[in-house]
Amino acid sequence: MHGRVKIKSTAQQEEEKRKEREKKLKIYVAARDACFSKRNEGVWDDEALQLTQQLLSSNPDFATLWNYRREILMHLETVKDEDEVQKIYEAELSFLESCLKVNPKSYGSWHHRGWVSARLPRPDWARELSLCDRCLSLDDRNFHCWDYRRMVVKMSGVPVDQELAFTDRLIGSNFSNYSSWHYRSTLLPLLHPESPEPPSPCREPPQTSPPPSPQTHSHRVCEEQLLKEYELVQNAFFTDPNDQSAWFYYRWLLGRAEREEMISCVYVSRDEERVAVAFSRPVNAQSVGLLLVLDGQPQRVEWRSVHPRFKHSPVWICDLPPGTINDISNEHNLTVHWTEKHTHRDCALYTGRAESWCRDSATDQELFRSELSVEKTSVLQSELQSVNQLQELEPLNKWCLLTIILLMRALDPLGYEKETLAHFQTLKEVDSMRSAYYSDLCSKFMIENTILKMEYAEVRVFSISDKNLTTLCHLDQLLLVTHINLSSNQLQQLPPQFAMLQCLEVLEADNNSIENLEGVYHLPKLEEVLLKNNKISTLADLQPLASCPKLKRLDLRGNPVAQTLNVESELAELLPSVTDLLL
Amino acid sequence: MAAEDLPSEFDVVILGTGLAESVVAAACSRVGQRVLHVDRRSYYAANWASFTFNGLLTWIQQHQVKEAQDWSSLLEEGEELIYLSSSDSASISNLQVFCYTSEEDEEEEAQRPDAPNTTEEESEAADEDAVKETSETESSEGEEPEADQPHLSPAASQSEPTRKKISYAQLVKEGRRFNIDLVSKLMYSRGSLVDLLIKSNVSRYAEFKNVTRILTYRHGNVEQVPCSRADVFASRQLSVVEKRKLMRFLTSCVEETEEHQAYNGRPYLEFLCDQQLSDNLQHFLLHSIAMATEDTPTEEGLASTRHFLRCLGRYGNTPFLFPVYGLGEIPQCFSQVELLSPPLPVSLQVSMVTVPPIAAGRPAVRMVELSPSTMTCIPGTYLVHLTCQSVGSAYEDLSPVVTRMFRTPESHDRGKNCPSVLWCLYFNMADGSGAEPEDHDLPSNVFVCSGPDAGLGHDHAIRQAESIFQKILPEEDFCPPAPNPEDIIYDGDNGSSSTAGGEEEAQEEAQEEAQEEAQEEAREEAQEEAREEPQEEKEVLEEASPPAEE
């Protein structure tokens, strides 16, 4: 009977598909070879244009063909008049549209579209914008399209407020969209910049400090708008606290202050005739124009970082010519100029003193609070309240816990220490995949708190034992420390940064898992190193200690290396200054 | 086709073109049965029908005729008069019409600076012994919404300070542009009707609009019900803590837990109270999402909440779809659906409004407001259906709600900011879910479909159709997927359909022959298929089941 429906068997369908594929492949390969040989011959004709078009419409990710196509188009630009070029490029755009329909996430197609749009004699940006909007309405997270859209917006000068409204719309329909939030973060500072005067009565450093550079807060947003954004993003993370994009945006809103670029400390030692300088960020002192003036005389000195590993470092040292300051009855005035930043720091070495320094302490700078730069405590306090509210509803949400920790640190790092530690404990349990990250972060915060406590006490002893430290950081802040106690933590190494402790005399690090002493390197005053119950296994691991000239006492009990054959004689040879060795 | 060419033998005869009947007819012809589908009415779809304004007026007239026509003079010797047509009139009662607009065109009402609104209402009625259902329809013209609140029918344009009120004459004149359904239903986007349309793989021919928002009437205001993630995020009336609680509740509903089971048999409202949800969350969840009453047991409330949530986000921000040109389309073109809908501009909202009982003993009212984008009413008006389980007559049950939410002469000052009613029809219709086929003493090969039920979705009718189909043809699949057009081989075309041209020829040939052999082929579909020019894909479908009646 005619017209009856029969369904083809699957085997039959498969066979047909296979044949189809074979046929396609043959055509494809032939066209590809033709293209390559034409390009080798340097032919830029219409046929090549057609061949590449044929290939690219089935495979828009063939970068070489796009390149060839651009070569042809650039050639045509030189031989055709403007109207013809316009026509060619418009045809190119409609061809690209069909490519994007095949694969809306093709790098090649989007890149080529950007290239064509930029070369089009009379571009129609409105059309390009509507193309992007259509594309984003199909997939609001197509980052290729986002990239291209940014270019279109830039070229066509779409007003910023219109773009902000665009992100409103996209976030409204689905707030799980990094691109929209990120775009917002670039638009807001343009539309609602922070007022130029400093937002809070930041305590001025005691010394005269240079005026804040105009760039310091350029990415910040005025407070009124900031409050609106807090509300918006809170709506998102209360609606879905497991969505990361809102939390990341929130982190951005809470912000990070950029530290002012300055010389934070100058230290001078009469014995070693050495000057150490600490900067607020890692620099390369050899190239930033650092100038040392001693008693009015510029000195020719060799700046070096504390460890050969570092090209950039926050701490740099130099040796003065022998005999310059070693007479204890002399007073000296020292100035370090950072000519590039038009800033300097003075330091006076008085009669009868073996050393001297001049600095801003971490407490003076509110250093560790500025991780979140919303300086208004009231704002932060109310933010903490709402996030705490969320935490009551979602006690095991990691983003919520982490945000609470950050807010607490911004508000009162020492006052909230106990709560912070408890939240870290919960975090490690609910997000065990990242427990090492949380441990490191917690270590960082514990170190910051200890630095603050030390500086409030105005001592040079840094003691942080039994705090589950897994990592060391902020060591540039410990330039003046003479005695450090790191016992009973989970440290595995003393990293190269450890060499910044230029004044260190006693190092206590019993009961850790240290197997690497790389950072105990050229510490001129170090006399005592206590490393009981660690994991130092070979003599080679102890090699860095040989660079510390004053080392007298070394405790290696409970380390594998203590069991090595002839360890005592080997050590005597390696560390001749050590007189008190415990194995 | 001339009468003598019609087939004379059938496997299945279906009387009436209601939804269940049409689905049974389509299902039977899909599996190769010869089906005769007839309806004694001059219009399609019985109480599922959709009318133009003029068609509705005729329908009202028919139902207002009290006296049955006297046919006795026509009786011949030995004949007895049997009344056949009592069913429709029995299912409709308490029909009342109100016209609030002027008969003729009016001059601009200059004394009203705010845009006047016009509303048109329509009502239908049917009673059954125990269950009564009332539904009422009304169309209204939009007005300026207040700043923050969602309002019914926001005006399309506020640019004109005064606008001509739409007159009755205009309604009649443009009456053909209305498609007014007798029953007010929405399609759950994962309901049995949509599933059936998709499953049978013929869901390409009708067009649907999303219901764009769900509203509720609370403390004298119309509020938007946040039901999707995006709604909750954007909602201004919920605090952030409420947002979290609502989202958490909705997420936790999806899977049945022991906690849920512990509430079996106890009211859903009690369960909601114990979840420490605020009053407005309880209101949204009970009345708008579960669409339950205060006595609904927890298991039922949770089941309908789950159904609501499953349907959410399949085609837009609410769980509901509405067929363009009205629900009357569905029985007619059962197998032709297009599920595509661009987002509507704000002025073209399609809203579902739940109105909880306004006083003890009053029914909960469900309201659907259709904008002109659904092709059910003319620009400048909205068509509003109000439906409830009846307590009294349609007018008694629904007019208090109408008076509160719209401006009518009875609403006095209250309706100042509300859209005004143009025309309004009240009636009761019998709840079809009450009519059990088993009640009738019928031969074993006769099955009875009931009229529309009171539910919001179409599940009852589809379930009924499936059960009847399975009684007729226990061995067959209920609406199996139609084959992919590419996979159809026509006898005699040797499978050489590699080129498009060849395929077309083959199709034409097949079509001609199919027509010649229509009787022999005996595949029929009780559907009108001639509304639009056939597309390529559709031709294939038609050949598979050539239309018999034109």
Side-chain angles (χ1 to χ4, degrees):
Chain A
M1 261 187 290
H2 293 277
R4 288 300 287 259
V5 178
K6 282 183 196 162
I7 309 296
K8 282 186 218 176
S9 65
T10 357
Q12 205 176 341
Q13 286 171 333
E14 283 303 306
E15 179 61 16
E16 264 173 43
K17 273 184 191 155
R18 197 186 58 78
K19 276 184 186 161
E20 191 98 334
R21 276 200 297 269
E22 253 174 32
K23 218 161 85 184
K24 269 189 186 162
L25 183 65
K26 235 181 222 170
I27 298 170
Y28 181 85
V29 169
R32 182 198 64 193
D33 293 344
C35 271
F36 281 2
S37 66
K38 275 178 109 70
R39 192 184 186 202
N40 284 338
E41 290 157 23
V43 183
W44 295 315
D45 58 3
D46 283 347
E47 196 201 352
L49 221 47
Q50 266 163 20
L51 271 175
T52 49
Q53 173 156 351
Q54 186 192 334
L55 286 165
L56 287 166
S57 35
S58 57
N59 175 17
D61 290 315
F62 204 147
T64 311
L65 292 182
W66 287 116
N67 282 338
Y68 183 28
R69 216 170 157 75
R70 281 190 279 273
E71 285 165 17
I72 302 164
L73 290 167
M74 278 157 76
H75 167 73
L76 291 177
E77 265 180 48
T78 61
V79 296
K80 308 265 185 180
D81 68 26
E82 191 186 294
D83 282 350
E84 285 170 314
V85 171
Q86 172 82 13
K87 253 192 207 136
I88 290 168
Y89 278 133
E90 274 172 6
E92 197 68 5
L93 288 178
S94 75
F95 162 56
L96 276 163
E97 217 164 302
S98 65
C99 291
L100 290 173
K101 276 179 196 157
V102 177
N103 177 6
K105 292 193 169 180
S106 154
Y107 283 89
S109 309
W110 284 108
H111 177 252
H112 191 60
R113 196 170 186 92
W115 184 85
V116 172
S117 290
R119 295 185 84 88
L120 198 63
R122 294 183 297 278
D124 181 354
W125 294 117
R127 183 197 55 203
E128 293 306 295
L129 209 57
S130 82
L131 174 108
C132 292
D133 291 357
R134 246 186 306 148
C135 186
L136 288 177
S137 73
L138 295 173
D139 175 5
D140 55 13
R141 299 197 266 197
N142 184 340
F143 66 86
H144 305 270
C145 181
W146 272 101
D147 281 347
Y148 179 67
R149 195 176 181 287
R150 271 190 285 273
M151 174 219 161
V152 171
V153 167
K154 196 174 157 199
M155 300 294 276
S156 57
V158 179
V160 177
D161 55 340
Q162 223 169 300
E163 286 300 284
L164 195 68
F166 172 75
T167 66
D168 279 340
R169 210 169 70 232
L170 267 92
I171 289 169
S173 68
N174 177 12
F175 60 80
S176 303
N177 189 330
Y178 283 106
S179 305
S180 301
W181 290 114
H182 172 258
Y183 195 28
R184 231 180 145 70
S185 76
T186 63
L187 297 169
L188 283 173
L190 299 175
L191 206 57
H192 305 282
E194 189 176 54
S195 48
E197 67 266 20
S200 79
C202 212
R203 242 187 300 163
E204 285 296 315
Q207 273 79 21
T208 53
S209 77
S213 64
Q215 289 84 27
T216 313
H217 286 295
S218 60
H219 65 288
R220 301 304 305 158
V221 177
C222 75
E223 183 163 306
E224 192 194 349
Q225 184 63 32
L226 210 52
L227 292 174
K228 284 186 197 160
E229 294 301 306
Y230 284 141
E231 201 191 320
L232 181 74
V233 74
Q234 274 181 19
N235 275 314
F237 63 63
F238 268 87
T239 302
D240 186 356
N242 291 316
D243 182 80
Q244 311 181 29
S245 57
W247 288 109
F248 275 102
Y249 184 62
Y250 191 57
R251 280 281 282 277
W252 176 80
L253 286 176
L254 292 170
R256 283 163 306 283
E258 283 168 15
R259 284 193 62 198
E260 203 182 297
E261 294 186 321
M262 57 187 267
I263 297 172
S264 49
C265 180
V266 172
Y267 167 83
V268 53
S269 160
R270 215 189 268 276
D271 290 350
E272 280 98 30
E273 294 188 281
R274 176 180 287 188
V275 177
V277 181
F279 297 85
S280 56
R281 63 169 176 84
V283 296
N284 181 349
Q286 283 149 348
S287 65
V288 295
L290 209 56
L291 182 66
L292 177 67
V293 178
L294 180 69
D295 302 324
Q297 298 295 315
Q299 302 290 312
R300 181 183 292 272
V301 290
E302 196 77 26
W303 292 103
R304 60 177 193 274
S305 73
V306 291
H307 194 281
R309 281 264 210 107
F310 303 125
K311 293 270 181 298
H312 281 76
S313 165
V315 176
W316 290 81
I317 46 181
C318 70
D319 293 318
L320 292 166
T324 338
I325 55 170
N326 62 348
D327 184 349
I328 200 149
S329 57
N330 286 341
E331 180 178 326
H332 298 283
N333 284 303
L334 211 99
T335 307
V336 179
H337 292 268
W338 186 359
T339 46
E340 197 182 60
K341 299 287 168 194
H342 307 287
T343 178
H344 67 273
R345 189 172 281 279
D346 302 317
C347 178
L349 179 60
Y350 299 112
T351 317
R353 304 289 291 271
E355 58 184 2
S356 178
W357 62 87
C358 170
R359 65 162 187 152
D360 288 340
S361 74
T363 48
D364 292 333
Q365 297 169 29
E366 301 207 14
L367 193 61
F368 306 127
R369 291 189 185 208
S370 61
E371 290 259 319
L372 300 183
S373 70
V374 189
E375 280 96 351
K376 280 246 167 82
T377 310
S378 59
V379 174
L380 285 178
Q381 198 74 56
S382 79
E383 288 307 304
L384 179 60
Q385 251 166 26
S386 3
V387 186
N388 272 332
Q389 223 173 7
L390 179 59
Q391 202 249 336
E392 269 170 44
L393 296 163
E394 301 288 327
L396 301 180
N397 184 283
K398 61 170 178 170
W399 300 104
C400 189
L401 286 165
L402 187 57
T403 307
I404 288 174
I405 291 173
L406 295 174
L407 284 165
M408 284 178 166
R409 290 209 57 76
L411 278 163
D412 183 358
L414 293 173
Y416 283 114
E417 185 172 304
K418 219 173 131 195
E419 284 102 321
T420 309
L421 284 170
H423 285 323
F424 265 120
Q425 197 50 44
T426 320
L427 264 179
K428 285 184 214 172
E429 283 158 22
V430 299
D431 189 16
S432 56
M433 295 267 286
R434 282 164 203 82
S435 65
Y437 166 73
Y438 296 126
S439 293
D440 283 359
L441 195 62
C442 186
S443 302
K444 177 172 172 248
F445 292 159
M446 288 305 110
I447 289 171
E448 288 175 0
N449 284 3
T450 311
I451 291 173
L452 290 175
K453 285 180 206 162
M454 173 183 75
E455 298 200 342
Y456 285 126
E458 296 187 354
V459 294
R460 293 173 74 183
V461 176
F462 183 82
S463 177
I464 187 166
S465 63
D466 206 9
K467 297 278 191 216
N468 296 316
L469 290 194
T470 52
T471 184
L472 291 173
C473 57
H474 291 304
L475 292 167
D476 56 309
Q477 297 291 322
L478 304 182
L479 174 61
L480 302 175
V481 164
T482 57
H483 190 132
I484 191 167
N485 180 3
L486 303 169
S487 308
S488 303
N489 283 299
Q490 293 157 27
L491 298 170
Q492 295 180 334
Q493 59 168 335
L494 298 173
Q497 287 83 351
F498 197 80
M500 291 188 239
L501 279 73
Q502 284 290 310
C503 301
L504 193 66
E505 292 163 13
V506 178
L507 163 61
E508 285 180 67
D510 294 343
N511 304 316
N512 278 284
S513 307
I514 297 170
E515 49 195 31
N516 179 321
L517 299 171
E518 209 181 341
V520 192
Y521 175 81
H522 284 283
L523 297 178
K525 297 178 192 288
L526 188 64
E527 294 177 9
E528 222 177 303
V529 173
L530 309 177
L531 287 168
K532 202 163 68 187
N533 298 329
N534 276 289
K535 295 194 171 160
I536 295 158
S537 49
T538 67
L539 281 164
D541 295 333
L542 294 165
Q543 182 68 40
L545 296 181
S547 65
C548 302
K550 292 194 175 165
L551 185 63
K552 291 185 180 65
R553 184 179 159 84
L554 179 62
D555 186 349
L556 288 173
R557 285 176 294 175
N559 283 281
V561 70
Q563 310 304 319
T564 323
L565 206 64
N566 302 331
V567 63
E568 219 166 330
S569 58
E570 298 268 5
L571 273 175
E573 193 178 323
L574 179 68
L575 306 168
S577 63
V578 173
T579 53
D580 188 359
L581 180 66
L582 295 166
L583 285 169
Chain B
M1 202 181 288
E4 54 267 27
D5 294 336
L6 283 171
S8 56
E9 279 180 36
F10 301 97
D11 300 315
V12 180
V13 176
I14 291 169
L15 307 180
T17 50
L19 178 59
E21 295 94 314
S22 301
V23 172
V24 173
C28 289
S29 58
R30 171 59 58 78
V31 296
Q33 296 289 300
R34 292 168 296 181
V35 178
L36 176 67
H37 195 175
V38 292
D39 198 318
R40 72 194 143 74
R41 300 173 193 83
S42 56
Y43 56 88
Y44 258 101
N47 280 346
W48 298 88
S50 193
F51 292 111
T52 64
F53 187 59
N54 315 69
L56 185 66
L57 294 177
T58 312
W59 179 85
I60 293 169
Q61 267 177 356
Q62 284 169 2
H63 286 277
Q64 278 173 336
V65 175
K66 298 274 181 237
E67 301 283 310
Q69 223 174 322
D70 187 10
W71 299 94
S72 48
S73 61
L74 300 171
L75 286 181
E76 284 177 20
E77 184 69 27
E79 285 182 337
E80 197 186 341
L81 193 64
I82 297 173
Y83 289 100
L84 275 175
S85 59
S86 58
S87 62
D88 272 8
S89 34
S91 65
I92 306 291
S93 62
N94 298 334
L95 202 129
Q96 278 173 282
V97 179
F98 297 87
C99 181
Y100 296 118
T101 185
S102 58
E103 296 286 324
E104 299 303 324
D105 285 344
E106 264 179 16
E107 285 310 302
E108 286 180 6
E109 293 175 72
Q111 75 275 22
R112 269 191 217 154
D114 57 324
N117 311 301
T118 40
T119 310
E120 190 191 327
E121 287 184 23
E122 177 216 335
S123 65
E124 40 179 299
D127 284 69
E128 244 205 4
D129 305 13
V131 209
K132 285 185 193 169
E133 177 216 345
T134 324
S135 75
E136 170 196 337
T137 318
E138 152 186 345
S139 92
S140 61
E141 190 180 331
E143 89 158 305
E144 244 163 300
E146 272 175 27
D148 273 354
Q149 269 180 347
H151 245 256
L152 289 173
S153 44
S157 149
Q158 270 89 51
S159 56
E160 309 157 73
T162 58
R163 236 186 310 168
K164 241 184 209 175
K165 197 166 175 174
I166 292 172
S167 70
Y168 185 72
Q170 203 178 337
L171 291 179
V172 174
K173 194 176 140 212
E174 299 202 57
R176 287 174 60 85
R177 295 169 70 186
F178 285 94
N179 282 291
I180 304 169
D181 299 317
L182 288 183
V183 285
S184 167
K185 283 186 180 298
L186 294 174
M187 297 168 66
Y188 278 95
S189 65
R190 285 187 198 277
S192 45
L193 178 55
V194 171
D195 283 352
L196 188 61
L197 294 169
I198 291 171
K199 179 190 161 207
S200 49
N201 197 14
V202 281
S203 52
R204 319 177 238 252
Y205 300 105
E207 194 186 338
F208 288 80
K209 288 267 186 257
N210 276 119
V211 171
T212 54
R213 57 182 184 175
I214 299 197
L215 306 175
T216 191
Y217 188 73
R218 185 168 178 260
H219 301 325
N221 292 317
V222 177
E223 293 180 5
Q224 179 149 5
V225 178
C227 48
S228 68
R229 189 169 172 264
D231 281 354
V232 173
F233 169 64
S235 168
R236 287 178 180 277
Q237 82 232 59
L238 296 183
S239 73
V240 285
V241 171
E242 285 177 315
K243 289 183 180 197
R244 183 79 294 268
K245 285 188 170 169
L246 178 59
M247 286 301 286
R248 202 159 62 161
F249 179 82
L250 294 175
T251 321
S252 70
C253 266
V254 177
E255 297 293 330
E256 184 160 3
T257 65
E258 279 177 21
E259 195 203 350
H260 296 160
Q261 282 162 0
Y263 280 86
N264 277 1
R266 289 155 70 190
Y268 187 47
L269 187 59
E270 197 182 311
F271 175 68
L272 294 177
C273 283
D274 291 352
Q275 302 299 307
Q276 279 147 18
L277 299 164
S278 61
D279 282 353
N280 55 342
L281 292 184
Q282 286 182 32
H283 178 103
F284 294 151
L285 288 164
L286 183 73
H287 297 293
S288 304
I289 292 178
M291 283 178 273
T293 66
E294 302 193 347
D295 317 316
T296 308
T298 302
E299 63 272 23
E300 253 176 61
L302 280 170
S304 41
T305 304
R306 281 185 205 123
H307 187 41
F308 184 102
L309 293 173
R310 265 198 306 278
C311 295
L312 207 59
R314 187 175 196 182
Y315 304 108
N317 242 353
T318 73
F320 304 115
L321 296 169
F322 185 83
V324 174
Y325 299 107
L327 292 159
E329 284 295 281
I330 301 290
Q332 289 182 49
C333 67
F334 171 67
S335 55
Q336 304 184 3
V337 188
E338 181 78 30
L339 291 167
L340 274 179
S341 161
L344 294 173
V346 179
S347 59
L348 296 176
Q349 300 266 21
V350 177
S351 314
M352 220 288 283
V353 193
T354 51
V355 185
I358 49 175
R362 311 296 314 182
V365 176
R366 193 173 75 216
M367 188 160 121
V368 175
E369 185 195 58
L370 302 168
S371 69
S373 66
T374 60
M375 310 303 271
T376 56
C377 51
I378 59 173
T381 68
Y382 282 77
L383 181 67
V384 182
H385 293 265
L386 288 92
T387 312
C388 68
Q389 290 284 343
S390 64
V391 175
S393 74
Y395 182 78
E396 287 160 7
D397 289 343
L398 294 172
S399 64
V401 176
V402 173
T403 313
R404 261 159 224 248
M405 304 188 66
F406 297 93
R407 190 164 62 207
T408 67
E410 293 97 60
S411 53
H412 310 293
D413 280 352
R414 262 191 307 199
K416 239 194 214 160
N417 296 316
C418 301
S420 64
V421 181
L422 286 174
W423 186 88
C424 176
L425 165 70
Y426 292 93
F427 64 92
N428 289 74
M429 183 189 282
D431 186 340
S433 61
E436 285 304 313
E438 283 74 22
D439 295 350
H440 304 268
D441 184 18
L442 293 168
S444 63
N445 62 345
V446 175
F447 306 97
V448 177
C449 293
S450 61
D453 64 308
L456 177 59
H458 299 77
D459 294 11
H460 178 262
I462 304 298
R463 264 203 313 275
Q464 193 173 53
E466 182 164 6
S467 118
I468 290 173
F469 175 83
Q470 269 150 10
K471 283 178 195 156
I472 304 173
L473 298 160
E475 305 291 302
E476 296 282 358
D477 254 7
F478 179 62
C479 293
N484 187 334
E486 287 171 17
D487 292 338
I488 297 175
I489 305 175
Y490 297 97
D491 281 2
D493 94 8
N494 297 327
S496 61
S497 57
S498 51
T499 66
E503 197 160 25
E504 258 171 29
E505 274 172 30
Q507 283 178 19
E508 272 167 26
E509 194 187 317
Q511 194 166 24
E512 279 167 24
E513 292 187 19
Q515 273 171 8
E516 283 166 22
E517 298 173 19
Q519 283 187 328
E520 200 183 321
E521 292 292 311
R523 284 172 165 260
E524 296 175 33
E525 240 180 60
Q527 287 146 17
E528 206 172 48
E529 299 244 13
R531 265 183 317 275
E532 46 185 65
E533 274 306 300
Q535 306 281 309
E536 259 189 26
E537 284 177 339
K538 199 178 155 201
E539 282 181 50
V540 178
L541 265 172
E542 284 184 327
E543 287 148 20
S545 47
E549 349 173 315
E550 290 293 302

